[in-house]
Amino acid sequence: MLFLRRTLSLSGRKLLMSRLALVITLVAAIIGASTMGLAAAVTTGVIFACVNNSSGTLKIIGSNDTCPHNWTLLTWSQQGGAQGPTGATGPTGATGPIGATGASGTNGANGSSGPTGATGATGATGPASTATGFGANTNWAAAGHGRECTLGEIILTAGSVANGTPANGQLLPISQNTALFSLLGTTYGGNGQTTFALPDLRAVAPNGLTYSICLQGIFPSQN
């Protein structure tokens, strides 16, 4: 293979191709020659020559010689043509299709149930209640008004008329008792929209007495 140190003119390349057979013959003669003049043209396995760009005339030269004007330097390797430059890397190929989804793994076995915890010991029975005197015939007094009271105050009376309304858990309308509702809310019952309930103290009142609650009185204030 021939490697040109510089580009030939179009006419020179045509002449060079026409003399290719002559070049091959000369190379073979140079390799087989043993004279000093030809040996000087062969350096480290490389043959140097000049070719006339117009006539195509070929002239063997030494490794340190230069070609005249209008001549082109040529070189040959005794071991054959030198390897050409590595070509540019080609474009990256298209991405292949996505592989099929692998099979789903099997679910692991459920762990065994732990042992049932031991039943706790039964608690000791509390002493029987011996309290008496509450919850019989209570809250029978009629609602009434006596001394000035504080809204929400619980008053115990033994008479037939209470100082307030008996606390029997009854529902009251919020619209008519807004001040008391603001204190009790729905702690004892009611829907909180239209009604609220009073506490039911019948079961905890002493026998024959009445617990009443103040519905109309002084609104309490915090200290």
Side-chain angles (χ1 to χ4, degrees):
M1 181 180 293
L2 303 179
F3 294 90
L4 300 181
R5 293 291 179 86
R6 51 183 182 171
T7 305
L8 295 174
S9 65
L10 180 60
S11 60
R13 281 183 287 172
K14 289 182 179 180
L15 288 172
L16 181 61
M17 293 301 293
S18 67
R19 304 295 175 89
L20 180 60
L22 176 59
V23 170
I24 296 173
T25 303
L26 288 173
V27 171
I30 291 169
I31 295 175
S34 58
T35 64
M36 293 300 292
L38 292 178
V42 181
T43 303
T44 63
V46 179
I47 301 171
F48 298 85
C50 294
V51 62
N52 189 288
N53 296 339
S54 300
S55 63
T57 302
L58 184 68
K59 180 176 66 175
I60 303 301
I61 64 172
S63 61
N64 295 323
D65 295 337
T66 58
C67 293
H69 177 69
N70 200 35
W71 290 68
T72 299
L73 177 66
L74 302 177
T75 60
W76 294 271
S77 172
Q78 289 181 316
Q79 304 299 324
Q83 181 177 352
T86 303
T89 303
T92 303
T95 303
I98 299 174
T101 304
S104 301
T106 56
N107 294 328
N110 293 329
S112 56
S113 301
T116 303
T119 303
T122 303
T125 303
S129 175
T130 57
T132 58
F134 292 91
N137 194 29
T138 62
N139 284 33
W140 57 274
H145 181 72
R147 67 174 176 82
E148 184 122 33
C149 58
T150 302
L151 282 175
E153 180 182 358
I154 297 297
I155 304 167
L156 184 63
T157 183
S160 59
V161 179
N163 185 25
T165 299
N168 297 337
Q170 62 269 45
L171 292 175
L172 298 180
I174 295 175
S175 60
Q176 298 177 19
N177 301 274
T178 54
L180 183 61
F181 173 70
S182 68
L183 296 173
L184 301 185
T186 57
T187 303
Y188 307 104
N191 58 24
Q193 301 295 320
T194 58
T195 61
F196 71 104
L198 298 179
D200 189 352
L201 302 178
R202 290 173 291 184
V204 295
N207 293 341
L209 302 185
T210 299
Y211 272 127
S212 62
I213 184 170
C214 179
L215 298 187
Q216 297 177 354
I218 301 173
F219 192 90
S221 60
Q222 296 182 350
N223 291 333

